[in-house]
């Protein structure tokens, strides 16, 4: 059993403690879908998903990640592990934000966003590996995102219950990873 507690937040970083380890959560920068959602009311009954799969960062989103790099260079203690969702926006944010910071990197689909729209559907690990060469995709299944139907392009909205179970699994996974990193 791991113990988690929130202990501070700042502009782009939310920090928590798990088993006496500092955990910093960083949200990805602005994406193409964020821009779209800023123009259209996604809660409206007539909202239409634009079917932008695995959306990328905009130039503004990339600038945000680069600016975060300055803050991350001064993090104390120095990070022991960088964990990211296999979504392109998360990987690109991590690559830019942690540029020049030597830290082991791991991906886990447990850290992916809740599936609401096509933008939350990922890509095949082989495609990702060509674009993000600092990450290991070998253990990632071809359809690693939530998919009730099993069809890779189907937008099967993830239920709150399923999402909460996955977040609990992520917390347990992080606890195991962090215990292993100190042994």
């Amino acid at each position: 059993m791991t113990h988690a507690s929130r202990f501070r937040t700042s502009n782009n970083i939310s920090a928590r403690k798990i088993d006496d380890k500092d955990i910093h959560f960083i949200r990805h920068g602005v994406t193409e879908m964020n821009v779209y959602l800023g123009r259209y009311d996604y809660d409206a009954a007539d909202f239409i998903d634009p079917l932008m799969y695995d959306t990328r960062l905009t130039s503004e989103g990339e600038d945000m990640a680069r600016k975060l790099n300055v803050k991350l260079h001064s993090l104390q203690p120095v990070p022991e592990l960088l964990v990211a969702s296999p979504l392109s926006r998360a990987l690109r944010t991590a690559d830019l934000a942690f540029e020049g910071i030597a830290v082991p990197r791991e991906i886990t689909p447990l850290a992916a966003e809740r599936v609401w729209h096509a933008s939350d559907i990922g890509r095949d690990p082989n495609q990702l590996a060509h674009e993000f060469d600092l990450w290991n995709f070998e253990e990632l299944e071809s359809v690693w995102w939530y998919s009730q139907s099993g069809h890779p392009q189907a937008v099967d909205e993830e239920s709150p219950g399923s999402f909460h179970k996955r977040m609990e699994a992520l917390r347990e996974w992080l606890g195991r990873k962090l215990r292993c990193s100190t042994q």
Side-chain angles (χ1 to χ4, degrees):
M1 179 79 171
T2 60
H3 177 267
S5 63
R6 187 177 194 134
F7 68 95
R8 66 186 151 94
T9 60
S10 66
N11 293 341
N12 298 325
I13 303 173
S14 173
R16 296 182 185 269
K17 278 197 177 291
I18 295 182
D19 291 340
D20 294 325
K21 294 280 188 169
D22 294 345
I23 310 293
H24 301 274
F25 294 92
I26 300 172
R27 179 161 164 70
H28 61 77
V30 175
T31 68
E32 303 153 326
M33 186 64 168
N34 295 137
V35 172
Y36 182 86
L37 293 174
R39 288 189 215 137
Y40 300 96
D41 182 7
Y42 58 89
D43 285 334
D46 63 345
F47 175 81
I48 297 172
D49 187 340
L51 301 179
M52 292 188 271
Y53 289 86
D54 193 23
T55 56
R56 309 303 195 280
L57 295 180
T58 62
S59 58
E60 179 186 359
E62 290 199 355
D63 288 344
M64 292 168 69
R66 285 185 190 98
K67 287 177 185 170
L68 187 57
N69 179 267
V70 175
K71 290 181 185 180
L72 294 176
H73 272 281
S74 63
L75 267 183
Q76 292 299 323
V78 175
E80 295 175 31
L81 180 65
L82 174 57
V83 177
S85 156
L87 288 165
S88 294
R89 58 189 173 261
L91 294 167
R92 182 70 175 146
T93 298
D95 282 351
L96 293 171
F98 282 85
E99 187 173 357
I101 301 172
V103 60
R105 297 168 183 242
E106 287 207 34
I107 55 169
T108 178
L110 295 171
E113 293 184 41
R114 182 176 170 201
V115 174
W116 290 92
H117 305 105
S119 60
D120 304 319
I121 303 294
R123 290 188 291 153
D124 182 272
N126 293 321
Q127 293 175 326
L128 292 169
H130 288 293
E131 191 172 339
F132 301 101
D133 59 354
L134 298 175
W135 301 87
N136 181 349
F137 297 92
E138 290 177 10
E139 294 183 19
L140 206 57
E141 295 180 22
S142 60
V143 177
W144 51 264
W145 53 92
Y146 177 83
S147 176
Q148 190 172 8
S149 66
H151 186 277
Q153 297 292 298
V155 182
D156 300 325
E157 187 176 315
E158 187 173 9
S159 72
S162 176
F163 178 72
H164 289 296
K165 284 181 186 175
R166 186 161 54 83
M167 290 301 98
E168 183 58 34
L170 174 62
R171 192 174 76 126
E172 291 172 8
W173 182 88
L174 284 170
R176 286 191 305 275
K177 288 290 178 182
L178 295 172
R179 281 190 293 280
C180 289
S181 72
T182 59
Q183 296 175 353

